[in-house]
């Protein structure tokens, strides 16, 4: 199935988001969003400019995946979480450098870059943001 | 304005149909529904399906289904709205009939999920209901996103693991005597609590099973119906969307699209939540079932487990919920589920539901949820006297 093997342009065109948390900032109402959208979901303005989002935040909620999709067997069990960044913007990703038993809601985390997925032996290896506990 | 009317109903048993293809299932259900309706002339077919391209390597289901039942020539398309594809097809059939351009429309919901080589394939296919670039890319599965909703809901309302068990236990109890149901065995609280973790805190027994099935309806106008002894009116319908990704919602312990769709359907029907006599909810995961009951205005937020635990949701209770066992036990062939829900309601509202028949219902509602609440459809059905 197409989803198992990563198509390189589909990853490449999102590198600013996946490496630097590039989001959107509404010049009309000040709302920040991830990802950047054409129209502000809060005020309807089209005046959205790119912005780098803060790299620190806290865990809003999480789950521990025991039944993975194809390509993630190696990482299982792994932790997925919704993170609220310091400016209130929310993102979703894996937690890393932490055991499932250590995680708590409200825990402070920071963005880091890690290998997220591979596509077999010859396919693309994708790096992107994950979140790790603050020291 | 004449309301759209259900003139015929048909469906297959839900199971792993090793001997039957997607086309076989769709045509079986379609022929049953056409016969039930007295074989009226059909002007259009709308097929509800989510995964045929990914799992079966087959799209263009409009043409496939039309040909399989000797109706090549009619207008026919597939409609997709993830797990709500079935009721999306019903809604667009209603709109077609209401347009006055079509008199009779055949709706076929079908899903053939077991034509895969590994369970990981189904997991990946179902994950296409979520946001690929911002969720699935990072290893999100569909259960994992619902697990986060479950954790969030449990925290907001201080629920215990047991509280989520009441709904699947009731669903299994209801399905035992339902001949088309997939999981016809009871479970108890110990069995629920000890079922394997799929995506913590979501357990296996919180999840609907994987299965194959098809359900069909003939939708027409009351005046044009051939068999008038079991007509059921679609009094109102409504649908709404929310963010595709779960993380982009401010409040994870409610389903805003479900609330909006309910408001729209009630408004069209001129009814209130207290008018419901029977309810079909989308219990693909226990927590989503609870959130459906709350969005439908049946219980206060955070109280759905108390309502189910009290016995009020049983077949003999004050407001029966999923008397055929719901997604959890009747089964959840994703793109067909919304049509099963409405077909079962139609049977209930014409006193044809057999062992699962509840006593004299007048108004029923079905809620079908696509994604983690990103695309929700509500249909309100009323008995025709």
């Amino acid at each position: 199935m197409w989803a198992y093997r990563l198509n390189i342009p589909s990853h490449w065109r999102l590198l600013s988001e996946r490496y630097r948390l590039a989001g959107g900032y509404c010049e009309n109402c000040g709302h920040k969003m991830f990802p950047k959208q054409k129209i502000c979901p809060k005020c309807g303005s089209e005046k959205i400019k790119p912005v780098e989002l803060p790299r620190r935040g806290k865990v809003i909620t999480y789950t521990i995946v025991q039944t993975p999709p194809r390509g993630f067997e190696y990482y299982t069990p792994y932790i997925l979480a919704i993170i609220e960044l310091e400016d209130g913007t929310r993102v979703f990703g894996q937690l890393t450098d932490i055991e499932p038993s250590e995680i708590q809601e409200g825990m402070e985390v920071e963005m880091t870059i890690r290998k997220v997925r591979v596509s077999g032996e010859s396919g693309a290896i994708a790096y992107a943001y994950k979140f790790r506990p603050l020291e | 304005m004449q309301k759209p009317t259900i003139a015929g109903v048909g469906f297959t048993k839900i199971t792993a149909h090793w001997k039957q293809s997607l086309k076989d299932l769709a045509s079986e259900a379609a022929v049953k529904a056409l016969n039930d309706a007295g074989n009226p002339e059909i002007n259009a077919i709308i097929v509800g399906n989510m995964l045929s391209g990914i799992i079966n390597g087959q799209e263009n289901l409009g043409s496939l289904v039309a040909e399989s039942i000797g109706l090549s020539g009619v207008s026919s398309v597939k409609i997709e709205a993830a797990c709500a594809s079935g009721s999306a097809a019903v809604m667009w059939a209603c709109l077609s009939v209401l347009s006055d351009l079509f008199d009779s429309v055949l709706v076929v919901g079908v899903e053939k999920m077991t034509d895969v080589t590994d369970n990981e394939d189904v997991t990946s296919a179902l994950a296409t209901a979520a946001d690929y670039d911002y969720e699935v890319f990072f290893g999100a599965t569909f259960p994992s996103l619902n697990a986060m909703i479950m954790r969030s809901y449990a925290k907001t309302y201080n629920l215990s693991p047991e509280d989520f068990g009441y709904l699947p236990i009731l669903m299994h109890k209801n399905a035992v005597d339902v001949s088309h149901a997939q999981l016809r065995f009871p479970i108890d609280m110990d069995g629920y609590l000890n079922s394997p973790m799929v995506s913590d805190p979501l357990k296996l027994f919180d999840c609907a099973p994987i299965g194959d099935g098809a359900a069909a309806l003939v939708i027409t106008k009351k005046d044009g119906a051939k068999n008038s002894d079991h007509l059921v009116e679609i009094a109102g319908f409504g649908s709404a969307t929310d963010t595709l990704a779960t993380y982009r919602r401010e409040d994870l312990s409610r389903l805003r699209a479900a609330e909006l769709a309910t408001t729209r359907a009630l408004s069209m029907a001129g009814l209130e939540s207290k008018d419901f006599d029977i309810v079909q909810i989308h219990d693909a995961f226990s927590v989503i079932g609870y959130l459906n009951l709350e969005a439908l205005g049946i219980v206060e937020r955070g109280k759905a487990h108390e309502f189910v635990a009290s016995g009020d949701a049983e077949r003999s209770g004050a407001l029966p919920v999923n008397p055929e066992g719901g997604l959890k036990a009747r089964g959840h062939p994703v793109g067909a589920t919304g049509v099963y829900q409405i077909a079962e309601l139609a049977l209930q509202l014409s006193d044809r539901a057999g062992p699962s028949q509840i006593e004299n219902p007048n108004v029923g509602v079905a809620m079908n949820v696509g994604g983690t609440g990103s695309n929700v459809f509500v249909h309100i059905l009323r008995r025709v006297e």
Side-chain angles (χ1 to χ4, degrees):
Chain A
M1 194 177 87
W2 59 270
Y4 304 148
R5 291 182 67 83
L6 187 69
N7 161 282
I8 290 171
S10 75
H11 180 52
W12 169 80
R13 65 176 167 258
L14 294 175
L15 288 187
S16 64
E17 296 180 355
R18 289 181 177 166
Y19 289 0
R20 291 186 282 111
L21 278 181
Y25 170 75
C26 174
E27 291 185 299
N28 185 51
C29 76
H31 178 66
K32 285 194 195 173
M33 66 201 81
F34 185 80
K36 180 173 170 284
Q37 309 273 18
K38 284 269 185 273
I39 302 236
C40 176
K42 290 289 176 196
C43 75
S45 167
E46 293 179 36
K47 289 182 183 163
I48 314 287
K49 68 173 189 182
V51 64
E52 254 183 58
L53 298 171
R55 299 185 177 196
R56 289 187 175 184
K58 62 180 183 189
V59 173
I60 294 295
T61 191
Y62 66 97
T63 183
I64 302 156
V65 179
Q66 273 93 355
T67 309
R70 191 175 293 284
F72 287 85
E73 298 88 342
Y74 169 80
Y75 298 96
T76 307
Y78 54 92
I79 306 163
L80 295 168
I82 295 174
I83 311 297
E84 187 169 287
L85 302 174
E86 283 173 342
D87 64 357
T89 313
R90 289 187 178 187
V91 299
F92 170 85
Q94 277 191 35
L95 298 190
T96 187
D97 300 359
I98 183 172
E99 291 302 317
S101 60
E102 296 169 336
I103 180 177
Q104 289 174 16
E105 286 136 326
M107 171 181 266
E108 295 195 0
V109 294
E110 65 178 356
M111 188 198 110
T112 181
I113 298 286
R114 291 296 167 83
K115 183 161 74 178
V116 168
R117 60 190 303 162
V118 298
S119 303
E121 290 189 2
S122 57
I125 297 169
Y127 287 77
Y129 52 79
K130 289 190 183 180
F131 293 86
R132 67 182 172 200
L134 268 183
E135 289 304 323
Chain B
M1 184 177 70
Q2 255 199 60
K3 301 274 188 180
T5 301
I6 297 172
V9 169
F11 44 70
T12 71
K13 180 177 168 60
I14 300 173
T15 186
H17 281 287
W18 307 119
K19 288 184 175 175
Q20 286 181 283
S21 68
L22 181 146
K23 182 172 71 177
D24 296 334
L25 295 168
S27 54
E28 180 184 329
V31 168
K32 282 181 181 169
L34 290 168
N35 288 340
D36 192 40
N39 293 300
E41 184 185 346
I42 295 295
N43 307 116
I45 302 170
I46 302 182
V47 181
N49 171 271
M50 175 183 174
L51 300 169
S52 71
I54 296 168
I55 288 184
N56 316 104
Q58 180 69 62
E59 286 291 5
N60 205 357
L61 296 190
S63 182
L64 177 97
V65 172
E67 185 187 1
S68 76
I69 52 173
L71 287 178
S72 286
V74 305
S75 172
S76 184
V77 294
K78 159 175 163 172
I79 282 190
E80 188 275 326
C83 324
S85 300
S87 56
V90 175
M91 191 184 105
W92 284 89
C94 291
L95 290 167
S96 302
V97 167
L98 287 171
S99 77
D100 280 336
L101 294 174
F102 294 140
D103 290 327
S104 292
V105 177
L106 173 68
V107 178
V108 183
V110 60
E111 205 74 68
K112 175 72 191 170
M113 301 176 75
T114 60
D115 277 356
V116 293
T117 49
D118 291 294
N119 280 335
E120 286 87 349
D121 294 341
V122 183
T123 303
S124 293
L126 288 169
T128 60
D131 189 330
Y132 179 78
D133 282 342
Y134 301 97
E135 294 179 321
V136 181
F137 172 85
F138 294 94
T141 60
F142 197 53
S144 72
L145 298 170
N146 286 280
M148 292 194 304
I149 292 174
M150 182 176 173
R151 185 182 298 281
S152 194
Y153 179 80
K155 183 166 186 253
T156 303
Y157 298 110
N158 197 24
L159 301 198
S160 69
E162 288 83 357
D163 290 332
F164 290 96
Y166 300 124
L167 187 61
I169 290 168
L170 175 61
M171 294 300 97
H172 275 259
K173 179 183 172 188
N174 282 351
V176 169
D177 60 3
V178 173
S179 60
H180 66 279
Q182 183 172 8
L183 303 179
R184 299 178 59 187
F185 55 86
I187 61 170
D188 60 16
M189 189 57 88
D190 276 350
Y192 167 78
L193 290 171
N194 292 319
S195 67
M197 209 58 98
V198 172
S199 192
D200 193 333
L202 190 88
K203 298 174 175 47
L204 184 65
F205 281 10
D206 285 307
C207 306
I210 288 161
D212 308 328
L217 303 171
V218 174
I219 295 183
T220 184
K221 292 200 187 88
K222 191 177 169 185
D223 291 349
K226 283 192 164 184
N227 282 356
S228 57
D229 61 328
H230 55 244
L231 299 181
V232 174
E233 177 186 273
I234 299 179
F237 52 82
S239 85
T241 50
D242 199 346
T243 61
L244 178 61
T246 306
Y247 78 88
R248 291 197 290 271
R249 302 196 195 136
E250 283 169 23
D251 187 347
L252 291 173
S253 56
R254 68 193 302 175
L255 299 178
R256 291 207 178 266
E259 294 168 12
L260 266 176
T262 302
T263 303
R264 289 170 184 166
L266 285 170
S267 165
M268 183 189 284
L271 295 169
E272 297 174 44
S273 300
K274 65 176 172 53
D275 295 320
F276 299 144
D277 301 316
I278 176 173
V279 183
Q280 290 275 356
I281 55 169
H282 188 99
D283 56 321
F285 303 97
S286 308
V287 64
I288 299 299
Y290 286 164
L291 288 171
N292 279 202
L293 290 169
E294 294 171 17
L296 285 165
I298 291 165
V299 290
E300 277 179 56
R301 292 178 63 192
K303 301 284 188 195
H305 65 289
E306 292 177 12
F307 168 75
V308 176
S310 74
D312 283 348
E314 306 224 3
R315 282 182 189 168
S316 57
L319 182 54
V321 173
N322 295 0
E324 291 80 12
L327 282 63
K328 176 72 194 79
R330 174 248 285 131
H332 181 29
V334 285
T337 290
V339 187
Y340 273 96
Q341 291 179 314
I342 292 167
E344 289 166 349
L345 271 189
L347 292 178
Q348 289 279 355
L349 294 168
S350 54
D351 299 322
R352 299 195 294 158
S356 59
Q357 182 67 48
I358 67 158
E359 202 179 314
N360 202 30
N362 197 43
V363 174
V365 63
M367 176 172 276
N368 191 199
V369 177
T372 57
S374 54
N375 209 342
V376 181
F377 293 76
V378 172
H379 287 80
I380 298 172
L381 274 58
R382 185 158 46 197
R383 178 187 290 271
V384 173
E385 296 300 345

